[in-house]
Amino acid sequence: MSSNSPDIPPPLKSDRSPKPPRFVTPIAPGPVVVAGLTFLALIMGLMLLKTVWRTIRPGYVGILFDKASHRVVTNALEPGWAFINPLSQDIQEYPITIQTYSMVQKGTEGQMEGDDSIKVQSNEGQQLNLDVVIQYQVKRNEANLLYQDWGGAPIEIVEDRVVRQYTRSQVPVIVSQHGWEQITASKRGEIAQQVSEQLSREFSKRHLELVSFGVREVHLPASLQQALDTKIQAQQAAEQQNYAYEQAKIKAQQVKVEAQGEAEAIKVRAKAQAEANQLLSRSITADLIRYEQMQKWDGKLPVFSGNGIIPMLNGADLFKGQSQQGK
């Protein structure tokens, strides 16, 4: 080693031996951590249960589609619990109770906002608006066919494509065969019946059953409404006149009957009086007359004054009659 290099002291040796490695004792999780893990497991369990456990609502049937076999289960599932394989199966609900669909001018009463009434034309070319109400239901035994034909679409899609669209297309065709006054009043029921028959055929082809169809109200333009009101007023006035005439006829007939009854009563009374007089005339005799005279005589002879012939009274006859009565 060169004399110019500094002297480096040798490394010092440690008097202590190396220490063994230390092991840390694991700390047990606290109560908060345990509760959190338990809650998380519970949430995951509920989510898993929700995917395999389905509830079919009352008034509905469930259509089960198996995605693995690409087929629809034939028999619909009844209301209640249903367990499925969420990875390969799915359920669609369809209502089997009566459903009501309204298309009206007042938006708050129908399925659509705003004026949803059906616009039609009469055979005179007059435009009217009809408020209609349709009641229908899904055929229970064809619910699976409904699912297949509509690709598993919910009932709202079926309702729009069938109930709404066919009603709005068929009503104007049938209504256009009638005049506006007939549509408003006389033919209203007949029109509803014709529409019902047509819709029943269309609905049945698509696994629905029409329960009822009704025209709730007919909205007329202002000019037609005024003409209709004038006609109704004239009809009411004519009906009142006819009523007054019929009442007068009834009153006259009653007076006639009463007069006939009074005349008949007078006739009966006259006949009875005549018969009584006849019987009385037969019963009057000379002796009866003398008797009546004596009963009324006060024993005094009549006094006459003035000139002239003095009437003679046969007193003997009076006494004779009296004596005979005494015997």
Side-chain angles (χ1 to χ4, degrees):
M1 186 176 294
S2 174
S3 58
N4 297 328
S5 60
D7 295 335
I8 300 175
L12 298 176
K13 293 182 179 181
S14 176
D15 296 336
R16 293 179 297 178
S17 61
K19 296 180 179 179
R22 298 174 60 186
F23 295 95
V24 179
T25 304
I27 302 174
V32 176
V33 177
V34 174
L37 294 175
T38 304
F39 180 75
L40 181 60
L42 179 62
I43 294 298
M44 294 179 63
L46 291 176
M47 292 178 63
L48 179 62
L49 182 62
K50 184 178 180 180
T51 59
V52 300
W53 179 20
R54 302 290 180 84
T55 300
I56 300 174
R57 294 170 290 173
Y60 287 75
V61 292
I63 306 302
L64 181 62
F65 175 63
D66 193 322
K67 293 178 282 188
S69 61
H70 307 286
R71 67 183 183 87
V72 177
V73 177
T74 303
N75 296 326
L77 302 177
E78 296 296 328
W81 293 345
F83 293 91
I84 65 172
N85 181 354
L87 299 178
S88 63
Q89 292 179 329
D90 193 15
I91 289 181
Q92 177 65 269
E93 286 184 325
Y94 285 121
I96 55 174
T97 54
I98 296 176
Q99 306 295 302
T100 301
Y101 193 90
S102 303
M103 289 177 279
V104 297
Q105 192 174 76
K106 192 174 182 180
T108 57
E109 297 180 2
Q111 268 70 15
M112 299 291 180
E113 295 183 0
D115 184 0
D116 193 38
S117 59
I118 301 178
K119 295 177 176 59
V120 299
Q121 280 191 344
S122 66
N123 57 11
E124 306 99 342
Q126 297 289 349
Q127 181 172 310
L128 302 84
N129 290 58
L130 304 184
D131 286 354
V132 301
V133 178
I134 306 99
Q135 289 188 323
Y136 75 96
Q137 61 186 146
V138 176
K139 295 182 179 180
R140 176 192 289 266
N141 58 347
E142 298 182 17
N144 59 326
L145 299 177
L146 177 69
Y147 181 91
Q148 292 179 3
D149 290 352
W150 290 93
I155 190 61
E156 291 78 14
I157 300 297
V158 179
E159 188 177 66
D160 180 74
R161 304 285 176 82
V162 179
V163 179
R164 179 180 177 82
Q165 298 303 328
Y166 277 95
T167 301
R168 297 187 77 88
S169 64
Q170 295 299 323
V171 169
V173 174
I174 295 174
V175 169
S176 63
Q177 304 171 12
H178 305 278
W180 71 269
E181 289 188 81
Q182 295 175 329
I183 298 169
T184 304
S186 61
K187 295 291 185 178
R188 189 164 169 175
E190 182 179 333
I191 291 171
Q193 181 62 31
Q194 292 175 352
V195 174
S196 296
E197 294 173 358
Q198 184 64 28
L199 292 182
S200 293
R201 290 190 289 268
E202 298 295 340
F203 284 16
S204 182
K205 296 175 185 177
R206 292 156 183 86
H207 317 296
L208 301 179
E209 180 181 359
L210 178 68
V211 178
S212 68
F213 170 85
V215 179
R216 196 175 75 176
E217 190 170 353
V218 179
H219 301 282
L220 299 175
S223 57
L224 293 184
Q225 187 63 52
Q226 184 177 0
L228 181 62
D229 293 341
T230 302
K231 182 177 180 179
I232 292 175
Q233 291 175 0
Q235 289 177 345
Q236 291 176 345
E239 290 176 358
Q240 290 177 354
Q241 291 179 353
N242 290 335
Y243 177 78
Y245 175 70
E246 292 297 329
Q247 292 298 313
K249 284 178 61 177
I250 294 173
K251 184 65 176 178
Q253 186 67 23
Q254 291 176 346
V255 172
K256 182 179 179 181
V257 171
E258 291 175 357
Q260 290 177 347
E262 183 65 23
E264 188 66 24
I266 293 174
K267 182 179 179 181
V268 172
R269 288 196 298 269
K271 184 177 180 181
Q273 186 64 42
E275 292 177 354
N277 291 340
Q278 187 177 7
L279 293 174
L280 182 61
S281 64
R282 292 176 183 175
S283 64
I284 296 176
T285 61
D287 293 339
L288 180 59
I289 294 174
R290 285 193 295 269
Y291 175 75
E292 291 295 331
Q293 290 175 343
M294 291 300 297
Q295 290 295 325
K296 295 180 180 180
W297 186 43
D298 58 357
K300 299 178 181 179
L301 293 175
V303 178
F304 299 92
S305 62
N307 297 327
I309 301 174
I310 301 174
M312 299 299 294
L313 179 63
N314 190 354
D317 291 340
L318 294 175
F319 289 110
K320 181 180 178 181
Q322 185 177 8
S323 63
Q324 291 179 353
Q325 290 293 331
K327 294 179 180 181

